Amino acid sequence: LVQALAELRRSLHGGSFGLAIAPTRSADGGALLISAPQLGYSYPLLLVEYEIHGAGYDARGSSVPILPVVGIGYTEHAAWALTTGYSKTIDSFILQLCSSAQQAAGSCARNQYFHNGEWKDLSCRSETIPYRAAVSGVPVGPAEFSVEAEVCRSVQGPVVARDEAAGLARVLSYAMFGREIETIEGIREWNRAKSFAEFHAAMEKVTWNENTVVATRDGHIAYYHPGLHPRRHPQTDQRLPIPGTGEFDHAGLLSFAQTPQVVDPAQGYVANWNNKPAYGWLDGDGFGSTSRPGGPGQRVTNLLELLDSRRDWRYEDLVEIDRLAGTLDPRAREYRPVMARLPREGLSELERAALERVLAWEGAHYAADIDIEDEGARDSVGATLFDLWVRALREELFAPLRQIELAPGFTAFDRISGVGSHVFDQSVMDNLALRVLDPAHSGLALRHDFAQGRSAAELLQAALRQALATAAAQFNEGAALTVADLERVRRIHPRSQICSLTGVIGPGSDTVPGTACVTMPYQDRGSWVHRVGYPGPAAR
């Protein structure tokens, strides 16, 4: 059981995409939607399929177990997709606690903290917490044991750590505290909504932060970044704990109207793939695989470019959108125009040939003729060279970050180049690299000379040479490459594991003796996909 739960936790990737197409961009004047939650591949799946009919409900879809209605799904009147929002709705405050020395001096008392110029009492109570014995880490039998615990709160939230000798305490402020169940009421009303107006009204009740994309039969589309978000002091740095002495306390919550959202945009489509929901909206981090990159490149840009390419989308086309979303390399859109500007003069014959292979590549990380059963199936030369070149550019610019260890075996380089389970996504590091190579790529100013005085052309050529050296080591037994040898430069395509969480049903498990997961070629697609189309006037 412990092993199965650990494997379940590893499979929670926290990615998903959703998109909606307005009647103005569909062939028959109806609204279209794709919902693709990405929660890994497993038996049983983390989502369960069900439908609910009766008492005003007529909904189908998928959901987490025990949710009393359909969490992600559709009805005759509305369809909705959910993606992880990633906004920071929990803040840490550091209290100035009455220290042991101050207590001894009589200047304040235990369980007091300094707030708005005076010592205030924490609100404290004693809790009896029962627990069971554990055998090899697994709780068994009745709760025969108990422990007393003191639970305290300040005006900002509960105390989760304290050091009375130092006079410090850490407090968590949770925006949704006491209002968690309101979200279920909002989702319940999605299942019963008969119009877009009713769905929009239900969105106001949602207190959690899950991006929601919706399309309705009455011809509307929308995007919401809902939930309860604190109104922070303008000088708050969300990456750091907040002083708890009062002057930086939250000033209530943002209203629903102040959260990022758009209804029936003029462009005729909306899409979200865990990306930044609005200009100027921060996520409290700024780097890492769950952050919103400081630049225009991210996996969602492929979706946006696809949706903008036509005004006659049909329901049948949604399969192709889903396929392309999962197989196009998001980095190609941003990097290749910069690579194309590399002057051919000064390049060797091999370097010119490699550059042309990258520029002629169709942009898919997944080869169209790949054998899904072959675990040694290889991608195209262009895809392989492009990937090696991007990785070499990262090293040229940011190799010193490998010297900064954040945890054993995990460096600042790993953190900023991370893309989570989205193997070919454009990372925060890639967006920064593009700002170095092309300052006009972003409105953010560079504050450090990562290039160390080198021009974009010099960086690109140095990285290309390094990429070809790596290719020679990996694909040509270390011998120098010739132009003809480039045909050998084809990486083995990554594989996704499909695992049994229990080892009882489905394929095997990496943690259950005598069994093993099965694999399939990696594509950045949903583990569960809904494609929904509402007929427009031309189809009714």
Side-chain angles (χ1 to χ4, degrees):
L1 175 63
V2 171
Q3 290 174 328
L5 290 174
E7 191 162 318
L8 171 63
R9 182 179 183 274
R10 286 195 298 272
S11 67
L12 295 172
H13 300 308
S16 301
F17 75 78
L19 63 88
I21 300 172
T24 55
R25 281 193 178 265
S26 72
D28 67 1
L32 305 169
L33 177 137
I34 298 178
S35 170
Q38 294 181 289
L39 297 169
Y41 305 103
S42 63
Y43 283 79
L45 196 66
L46 298 179
L47 297 176
V48 59
E49 180 182 22
Y50 56 72
E51 51 193 274
I52 178 170
H53 304 284
Y57 295 95
D58 192 19
R60 298 181 64 187
S62 55
S63 196
V64 293
I66 80 170
L67 189 67
V69 286
V70 173
I72 305 173
Y74 54 94
T75 70
E76 281 202 36
H77 305 282
W80 58 95
L82 298 180
T83 79
T84 302
Y86 285 131
S87 279
K88 193 169 186 286
T89 58
I90 302 177
D91 283 339
S92 289
F93 285 84
I94 302 300
L95 297 186
Q96 183 180 333
L97 204 64
C98 185
S99 67
S100 302
Q102 288 172 308
Q103 294 173 37
S107 54
C108 52
R110 186 178 182 277
N111 283 337
Q112 286 191 322
Y113 65 104
F114 197 72
H115 183 262
N116 284 340
E118 61 179 326
W119 290 101
K120 296 181 178 179
D121 293 329
L122 291 169
S123 174
C124 298
R125 69 181 188 276
S126 179
E127 288 280 352
T128 301
I129 302 173
Y131 65 95
R132 296 181 287 171
V135 177
S136 300
V138 180
V140 295
E144 297 178 336
F145 308 95
S146 66
V147 62
E148 295 295 316
E150 184 181 49
V151 179
C152 297
R153 295 181 64 89
S154 72
V155 294
Q156 296 99 347
V159 175
V160 297
R162 60 195 296 167
D163 184 337
E164 294 202 45
L168 296 171
R170 180 184 175 215
V171 169
L172 288 186
S173 176
Y174 181 38
M176 199 167 56
F177 178 72
R179 299 181 59 183
E180 295 87 345
I181 296 178
E182 293 176 33
T183 286
I184 297 178
E185 179 67 11
I187 296 176
R188 185 187 69 82
E189 293 189 16
W190 296 350
N191 284 238
R192 296 169 58 120
K194 299 296 190 294
S195 66
F196 175 77
E198 291 183 5
F199 195 97
H200 180 85
M203 283 300 311
E204 296 195 43
K205 298 185 177 183
V206 173
T207 58
W208 68 357
N209 180 227
E210 293 282 296
N211 297 297
T212 306
V213 173
V214 60
T216 61
R217 176 177 285 273
D218 55 7
H220 297 279
I221 65 169
Y223 161 78
Y224 302 93
H225 188 74
L228 302 179
H229 302 273
R231 190 188 302 275
R232 296 181 175 92
H233 188 281
Q235 292 183 342
T236 296
D237 186 334
Q238 292 185 44
R239 298 169 298 178
L240 304 173
I242 303 170
T245 48
E247 62 268 36
F248 293 100
D249 283 2
H250 296 155
L253 300 170
L254 297 180
S255 68
F256 173 71
Q258 292 171 317
T259 59
Q261 57 185 273
V262 64
V263 175
D264 294 331
Q267 65 192 23
Y269 56 83
V270 291
N272 182 269
W273 207 338
N274 315 115
N275 49 285
K276 186 174 182 175
Y279 290 116
W281 186 273
L282 302 178
D283 64 354
D285 186 348
F287 56 94
S289 62
T290 62
S291 188
R292 287 72 177 259
Q298 199 246 13
R299 54 190 181 271
V300 76
T301 55
N302 279 347
L303 288 177
L304 298 175
E305 195 167 58
L306 279 169
L307 296 175
D308 198 52
S309 66
R310 287 177 53 180
R311 288 189 171 273
D312 61 346
W313 291 107
R314 303 169 301 156
Y315 173 76
E316 293 79 9
D317 298 321
L318 299 183
V319 173
E320 181 65 2
I321 293 176
D322 180 41
R323 185 189 71 81
L324 289 172
T327 56
L328 291 176
D329 191 319
R331 303 168 299 175
R333 179 181 181 272
E334 310 297 332
Y335 268 111
R336 284 203 298 178
V338 176
M339 293 171 170
R341 295 199 291 268
L342 177 61
R344 275 44 170 190
E345 302 81 11
L347 297 183
S348 69
E349 181 185 12
L350 177 63
E351 291 164 357
R352 285 196 299 272
L355 172 60
E356 295 309 319
R357 294 300 290 264
V358 169
L359 298 182
W361 166 53
E362 75 283 2
H365 61 73
Y366 179 85
D369 59 349
I370 199 167
D371 181 354
I372 63 173
E373 300 295 333
D374 181 8
E375 295 200 357
R378 295 181 180 271
D379 290 326
S380 68
V381 173
T384 306
L385 285 171
F386 173 77
D387 184 64
L388 291 172
W389 197 355
V390 168
R391 293 176 186 276
L393 276 166
R394 294 173 184 168
E395 294 292 338
E396 285 290 329
L397 290 166
F398 310 117
L401 294 179
R402 293 194 180 279
Q403 308 305 313
I404 304 173
E405 193 171 61
L406 304 179
F410 186 74
T411 69
F413 187 101
D414 301 322
R415 178 81 164 94
I416 301 173
S417 64
V419 291
S421 61
H422 305 279
V423 177
F424 298 105
D425 197 10
Q426 182 153 319
S427 67
V428 173
M429 180 174 284
D430 292 318
N431 276 294
L432 180 54
L434 284 159
R435 284 164 57 195
V436 175
L437 296 168
D438 179 12
H441 189 75
S442 171
L444 297 174
L446 285 168
R447 299 178 180 273
H448 180 76
D449 182 16
F450 294 99
Q452 297 181 3
R454 292 174 291 175
S455 67
E458 290 171 328
L459 284 166
L460 286 165
Q461 186 172 10
L464 179 57
R465 287 173 177 167
Q466 182 56 51
L468 289 169
T470 302
Q474 292 183 1
F475 305 105
N476 206 39
E477 298 181 345
L481 290 171
T482 66
V483 172
D485 292 331
L486 289 179
E487 291 303 320
R488 302 178 186 174
V489 182
R490 301 183 64 190
R491 69 183 175 216
I492 295 176
H493 189 77
R495 308 282 293 187
S496 295
Q497 287 194 328
I498 310 173
C499 300
S500 169
L501 296 179
T502 62
V504 177
I505 60 172
S509 167
D510 281 348
T511 57
V512 177
T515 70
C517 302
V518 298
T519 69
M520 66 180 182
Y522 168 81
Q523 296 182 46
D524 206 352
R525 301 171 75 174
S527 46
W528 192 291
V529 181
H530 298 152
R531 295 185 290 269
V532 182
Y534 292 107
R540 291 174 188 162

